[in-house]
Amino acid sequence: MKVGFYGHVRQYHNLKKEIDAAILDVLESGQYVLGPHLKTFENELAKYFGVKYALGVNSGTDALWLPMMAMGIGPGDEVITTSNTFFATAEAAWIAGAKVVFVDSRRDTNNIDPSLIEAKITPRTKAIIPVHLYGQAAEMDKIWAIAKKHKLGVIEDNAQSIDSRGAGFKLMEQSDAMGCSFIIQKNLGCFGDGGAVLTNREDIYKQCEAQRNHGSYQRSHHSYGFNNRLDSIHAAVLSVKLKHITKWSDRRIEIANMFTKGLKGTGLKLPTTLPGYRHVFHLYVIETPKRDAMLKFLVDNGIDAKTHYPIAIHQQQGFPWGKDIDPVFKLPNTEANAAQCISLPMYPELQQDEIDYTIEKCIEFCKKNG
Ligand SMILES: *Cc1c(COP(=O)(O)O)cnc(C)c1O
């Protein structure tokens, strides 16, 4: 049996009529850039998150550095984030010109450990960039309290966790801005690259809006800017898909529960959901010291498992951030996760026989290698 890692072609087939109609509607409108379809999606997204402003941009990476720049973060500044994330989190700060200071992750959730943040704050620190990793919100209540105490900005990296919630808080209640990614493999994906900036701050919104469009506040008037707009075709597709996000998240949680139940007692480290949190399982990540052997076994048996992220950012060649502060720079929990992680196939369109087969093969490996 083959179990693919991505379900987006199945998702397209399930929504084919609606999606095809939405794309044709854009084609007939003749307004492909900054047109009404983009405005509609932005309004829907702002409403969905319960925030004042949403701005479609052309990637999740842009959705992080645009608000950083709008908040005045640049050369000479430091931002605190996690190394246990996709490279783009740090890359965004680097594009803005800031220095990235890494804090280790919690060994259970793999999200940034708020108790380690304060020790890394210096007079140059401007912001904290928490990542909601794998589908679970970072501990925003604790992070926001630290940020307020030290007068720092907070930008949420929400590339992976649309529709998640914390215990007693929603995303965007405790930050200045948030960046979402809509690249196809994310929980809400368009047919290519896409992203959005969310914020309640008018100053951030206005500046990002101008900067994504050649720094144009007014037709023919330009200041410092870029070209980072979300295309209308993607916006129209995202409007269709946004309506399904809650149902899809519920199905991800249902599948995660089946994995967790099926894999109990195998000795594998299974995902931890903090009490009261809604973890939407962008990825279902198990951990084992025998990672390479298990990954090979799964792939050899037709299960397209992957790793997120086998090389943490501070371990990447050519980006020695942190090492100049501390020559033996180590992030033990992040490094343990990088060495042991395996992402099982996880998407709402997974079929029961695929779920059962995946569990069966994981158990088989653990029995043979116990
Ligand atoms: C995907 C991702 C990004 C970047 O999004 P793009 O749309 O690929 O630019 C940033 N941060 C995290 C945590 C991601 O998973």
Side-chain angles (χ1 to χ4, degrees):
M1 177 174 226
K2 288 238 177 294
V3 186
F5 193 74
Y6 297 114
H8 41 250
V9 177
R10 288 183 187 175
Q11 187 187 68
Y12 169 57
H13 290 156
N14 289 341
L15 297 176
K16 185 169 165 40
K17 264 175 91 170
E18 278 179 86
I19 286 175
D20 289 359
I23 291 173
L24 288 177
D25 191 51
V26 176
L27 297 187
E28 291 294 346
S29 78
Q31 291 177 283
Y32 310 140
V33 180
L34 295 180
H37 298 88
L38 177 59
K39 198 73 215 158
T40 299
F41 172 62
E42 288 172 341
N43 290 339
E44 289 166 352
L45 194 68
K47 194 164 164 229
Y48 170 80
F49 277 109
V51 303
K52 285 195 188 140
Y53 308 107
L55 200 66
V57 295
N58 67 10
S59 72
T61 309
D62 294 348
L64 291 170
W65 66 257
L66 279 163
M68 283 184 212
M69 284 196 188
M71 289 166 71
I73 296 167
D77 298 330
E78 292 175 5
V79 300
I80 293 176
T81 189
T82 165
S83 179
N84 201 349
T85 175
F86 181 59
F87 187 73
T89 308
E91 186 187 12
W94 173 59
I95 291 169
K99 175 173 180 170
V100 179
V101 176
F102 291 118
V103 164
D104 206 2
S105 49
R106 285 176 57 141
R107 192 66 193 96
D108 52 0
T109 63
N110 292 307
N111 266 327
I112 191 168
D113 186 341
S115 71
L116 303 176
I117 291 176
E118 277 193 290
K120 295 289 179 83
I121 295 172
T122 74
R124 290 169 176 265
T125 308
K126 279 284 166 64
I128 307 171
I129 321 291
V131 179
H132 308 310
L133 193 70
Y134 298 156
Q136 177 160 230
E139 293 160 274
M140 293 306 300
D141 40 358
K142 294 182 187 166
I143 292 166
W144 191 229
I146 296 166
K148 279 205 286 197
K149 183 174 156 197
H150 296 273
K151 299 191 166 45
L152 305 176
V154 176
I155 300 165
E156 297 172 67
D157 179 338
N158 188 24
Q160 304 193 355
S161 301
I162 287 182
D163 206 34
S164 71
R165 269 195 308 275
F169 67 84
K170 289 197 243 166
L171 303 187
M172 270 312 295
E173 281 177 348
Q174 302 173 105
S175 66
D176 297 284
M178 178 164 86
C180 292
S181 168
F182 306 128
I183 190 170
I184 182 67
Q185 63 262 36
K186 301 297 163 76
N187 288 24
L188 179 66
C190 59
F191 292 120
D193 277 303
V197 177
L198 283 298
T199 183
N200 282 309
R201 281 179 50 177
E202 193 185 5
D203 61 328
I204 293 177
Y205 171 70
K206 288 256 179 249
Q207 185 147 348
C208 291
E209 187 188 33
Q211 291 204 327
R212 76 166 174 184
N213 188 33
H214 307 291
S216 176
Y217 288 86
Q218 192 189 334
R219 192 173 165 76
S220 302
H221 296 260
H222 299 268
S223 64
Y224 187 62
F226 312 91
N227 178 349
N228 313 92
R229 301 166 299 222
L230 179 68
D231 291 325
S232 295
I233 285 188
H234 294 312
V237 169
L238 289 164
S239 282
V240 171
K241 291 194 181 186
L242 184 62
K243 295 191 199 91
H244 299 274
I245 190 71
T246 305
K247 185 182 71 193
W248 288 338
S249 305
D250 289 345
R251 173 69 181 151
R252 284 175 181 273
I253 293 167
E254 192 174 86
I255 296 167
N257 288 339
M258 287 188 241
F259 280 149
T260 298
K261 197 164 158 230
L263 298 176
K264 215 178 243 163
T266 53
L268 295 167
K269 181 180 174 294
L270 304 178
T272 302
T273 302
L274 294 179
Y277 278 58
R278 176 174 163 90
H279 186 329
V280 293
F281 293 95
H282 169 58
L283 295 167
Y284 187 94
V285 177
I286 58 173
E287 292 178 55
T288 168
K290 296 177 182 136
R291 193 268 306 280
D292 294 347
M294 182 164 179
L295 186 65
K296 182 172 186 308
F297 177 84
L298 294 176
V299 171
D300 287 349
N301 281 281
I303 299 166
D304 188 20
K306 296 194 184 295
T307 49
H308 299 84
Y309 297 89
I311 307 171
I313 303 177
H314 71 286
Q315 298 172 314
Q316 297 286 350
Q317 264 194 356
F319 292 95
W321 293 317
K323 289 196 178 107
D324 48 349
I325 302 170
D326 174 0
V328 285
F329 187 68
K330 280 222 162 303
L331 299 169
N333 290 343
T334 299
E335 287 163 29
N337 183 234
Q340 301 193 6
C341 61
I342 297 179
S343 310
L344 299 180
M346 165 55 82
Y347 40 94
E349 298 78 13
L350 268 182
Q351 300 298 303
Q352 192 62 47
D353 56 344
E354 296 169 323
I355 298 164
D356 294 341
Y357 177 74
T358 302
I359 294 171
E360 191 185 300
K361 287 294 153 189
C362 287
I363 292 174
E364 191 182 319
F365 175 85
C366 292
K367 280 206 177 125
K368 281 186 187 152
N369 297 273

